[in-house]
Amino acid sequence: MPVFPKVSLRPEVEDYLRESFVNAEIVTASSKQEAERKFETLLTHLSHPPSFTTVRVNTHLASVQHVKNLLLDELLKQFDGVRVPVLQHPDLQDVLLIPVIGPRKNIRMQRCEAIVGAQCGNAVLRGAHVYAPGIVSASKFMKAGDVVSVYSDIEGKCKKGAKEFDGIKIFLGNGISERSRSEIFGGLSELKGIGIRMTEPVYLSPSFDNVLPNYLFLQNLPSALVTHVLSPQPGEKILDMCAAPGGKTTHIAARMRDQGEVIALDKISHKVEKIKQNALLLGLKSIQAFCFDATKALAHGMVDTEEGFPGGPRKDNPSSCSSQPPSPVWNWNLQHALQILDSYILWLPSQLLLRVYRPCSLHLHSYMKLQKNALKQLVWKILLNLFMIQPHNPSFLPDL
């Protein structure tokens, strides 16, 4: 019995994906019933957090092995002496994998409850504590120091400040409240900081809040893969057209050994500042970040020919930051869902200009055709490895 229900999609999105997934080729190879079963299983898996937390090592400042040893020591402190394995990705050598332990089913639910929004709930499933702004509802008697059961309102129906909630909610685990109900909902000032410190999460995942900030960057695997496919070389010029918060930008600079030039663009000024902060934190000097709308980066009348622009920069275009991990609820319309899928699909090389490319087409058959012609063996190998992982069945992990 799964801990969470299958992922909640809008009917138009689920119908479109089902029609594409249960296609004639798959039905011929097995049966319609088997294809339907696999699709339903996929929807269930997608509602759970990933089997691994992925972090990228800043190889500009330290070796992977050195950072791995430091991380093992940090995790021993977080998990009270329980040794959690840290694995090096077999293909992406600068990526470390930390298994997520769960679901843990022996956690006792408390009488005192707090309800958080879906986004906050997703963060808790990935190892975060509950920050005060994310708390939507709390029991009327909740005070600082109480043991609190935390639930996620996946449908967004809980009213802010409610004292109880009987709608659909998902149990995320227990924590210690650092604020009273009156402090959270008193309205005197906007609270910041941790509201509930998670002590017994259903999914035990490490927190990376200020953990080895100069050496590690918390990054989803699809985003980390992009730079390896781009394969930037020392001395090159790279243009990242949608760069915030700087995950791929800093990865590109590190892979270039900080030798060359990385131009990072984003149209929102405070996000540009975040890129600069991350570059400074990771000790990378080859990055120049600008507040600019990349869709206006070419002058009118310029033509992008097959020959590319001799001497010009290569492009990381556009961002795959929308390739977020699974969560209990994906409230997308059809076009948004397909745009998200786009970010996983293509990396198309040309003679002098290499783009990390997301196609404009919204038709699945276009994806399949382009995948067949464009994806390299490395990409297929990694994607197949990802999809073959059985979620949350790591037999080698300790029983917590």
Side-chain angles (χ1 to χ4, degrees):
M1 181 71 179
V3 176
F4 303 148
K6 73 176 185 180
V7 66
S8 176
L9 299 171
R10 290 188 179 185
E12 60 168 350
V13 176
E14 182 168 337
D15 290 345
Y16 183 92
L17 293 177
R18 184 185 301 275
E19 181 182 348
S20 303
F21 195 90
V22 187
N23 58 51
E25 185 177 353
I26 293 177
V27 170
T28 301
S30 55
S31 67
K32 185 174 181 180
Q33 291 76 12
E34 180 65 11
E36 289 276 2
R37 185 192 66 79
K38 289 183 176 180
F39 181 69
E40 292 296 326
T41 301
L42 174 65
L43 294 182
T44 299
H45 287 334
L46 286 175
S47 70
H48 291 68
S51 299
F52 296 91
T53 296
T54 57
V55 291
R56 174 174 56 80
V57 175
N58 178 21
T59 53
H60 174 59
L61 294 184
S63 69
V64 174
Q65 187 58 52
H66 176 65
V67 176
K68 181 179 177 180
N69 292 337
L70 293 176
L71 181 56
L72 283 168
D73 292 338
E74 289 288 336
L75 295 181
L76 275 175
K77 298 174 187 176
Q78 279 197 35
F79 295 117
D80 297 324
V82 176
R83 184 169 292 277
V84 175
V86 175
L87 312 173
Q88 189 173 5
H89 195 283
D91 295 303
L92 310 181
Q93 295 295 305
D94 55 358
V95 173
L96 297 177
L97 310 172
I98 302 92
V100 175
I101 300 171
R104 302 191 297 163
K105 300 180 181 179
N106 57 344
I107 301 174
R108 181 181 176 184
M109 297 180 187
Q110 303 295 312
R111 191 166 69 94
C112 187
E113 297 182 358
I115 309 297
V116 302
Q119 286 189 333
C120 179
N122 294 344
V124 171
L125 290 174
R126 301 297 303 276
H129 297 295
V130 177
Y131 283 76
I135 301 175
V136 180
S137 162
S139 297
K140 61 181 180 181
F141 50 83
M142 189 182 85
K143 60 184 183 297
D146 283 350
V147 180
V148 181
S149 285
V150 179
Y151 297 83
S152 176
D153 170 25
I154 63 172
E155 293 186 332
K157 293 185 177 181
C158 182
K159 293 183 178 180
K160 186 76 172 180
K163 297 178 180 178
E164 57 183 30
F165 177 61
D166 295 325
I168 298 176
K169 56 188 180 182
I170 289 177
F171 179 56
L172 303 176
N174 296 333
I176 305 295
S177 175
E178 299 202 353
R179 304 277 187 173
S180 67
R181 173 187 165 81
S182 59
E183 286 180 284
I184 295 172
F185 301 113
L188 297 179
S189 61
E190 184 178 347
L191 286 180
K192 296 181 180 180
I194 295 176
I196 300 172
R197 189 173 297 275
M198 298 300 296
T199 55
E200 294 181 291
V202 170
Y203 282 95
L204 194 59
S205 182
S207 171
F208 280 90
D209 185 19
N210 205 34
V211 172
L212 304 175
N214 302 111
Y215 296 133
L216 289 176
F217 195 97
L218 192 62
Q219 191 170 30
N220 292 323
L221 200 53
S223 293
L225 170 61
V226 166
T227 300
H228 284 269
V229 176
L230 185 65
S231 188
Q233 301 300 313
E236 288 188 332
K237 295 181 180 180
I238 306 290
L239 173 62
D240 191 339
M241 300 177 70
C242 190
K248 291 188 293 300
T249 303
T250 54
H251 196 186
I252 289 167
R255 295 288 293 179
M256 293 167 57
R257 303 173 196 165
D258 207 26
Q259 299 172 20
E261 190 173 1
V262 184
I263 307 297
L265 306 181
D266 202 278
K267 64 181 182 180
I268 301 176
S269 59
H270 72 84
K271 290 187 176 182
V272 174
E273 290 305 311
K274 187 63 177 178
I275 299 171
K276 294 178 179 179
Q277 291 170 13
N278 282 327
L280 182 64
L281 191 64
L282 299 174
L284 297 164
K285 300 179 180 180
S286 60
I287 296 171
Q288 297 183 59
F290 301 95
C291 186
F292 195 82
D293 184 348
T295 63
K296 302 175 182 177
L298 293 179
H300 291 294
M302 292 186 68
V303 178
D304 184 359
T305 65
E306 291 184 358
E307 290 76 25
F309 302 118
R314 299 198 295 161
K315 298 181 182 179
D316 172 10
N317 166 42
S319 173
S320 64
C321 61
S322 55
S323 56
Q324 295 301 313
S327 69
V329 55
W330 286 352
N331 189 27
W332 303 331
N333 59 33
L334 181 56
Q335 181 164 339
H336 185 198
L338 292 173
Q339 287 172 345
I340 298 296
L341 293 176
D342 285 342
S343 65
Y344 284 92
I345 301 301
L346 289 183
W347 296 270
L348 291 178
S350 61
Q351 292 178 355
L352 295 176
L353 181 68
L354 178 60
R355 291 190 178 95
V356 179
Y357 178 73
R358 187 177 69 188
C360 297
S361 169
L362 297 181
H363 299 291
L364 194 65
H365 72 268
S366 298
Y367 301 156
M368 303 304 291
K369 181 178 179 181
L370 290 170
Q371 283 180 41
K372 184 176 180 180
N373 294 332
L375 290 180
K376 297 295 184 179
Q377 289 184 358
L378 172 65
V379 180
W380 276 117
K381 183 177 180 181
I382 292 172
L383 292 179
L384 286 172
N385 285 341
L386 284 174
F387 289 121
M388 289 301 289
I389 293 175
Q390 293 298 314
H392 305 293
N393 189 26
S395 57
F396 57 88
L397 298 181
D399 185 15
L400 298 183

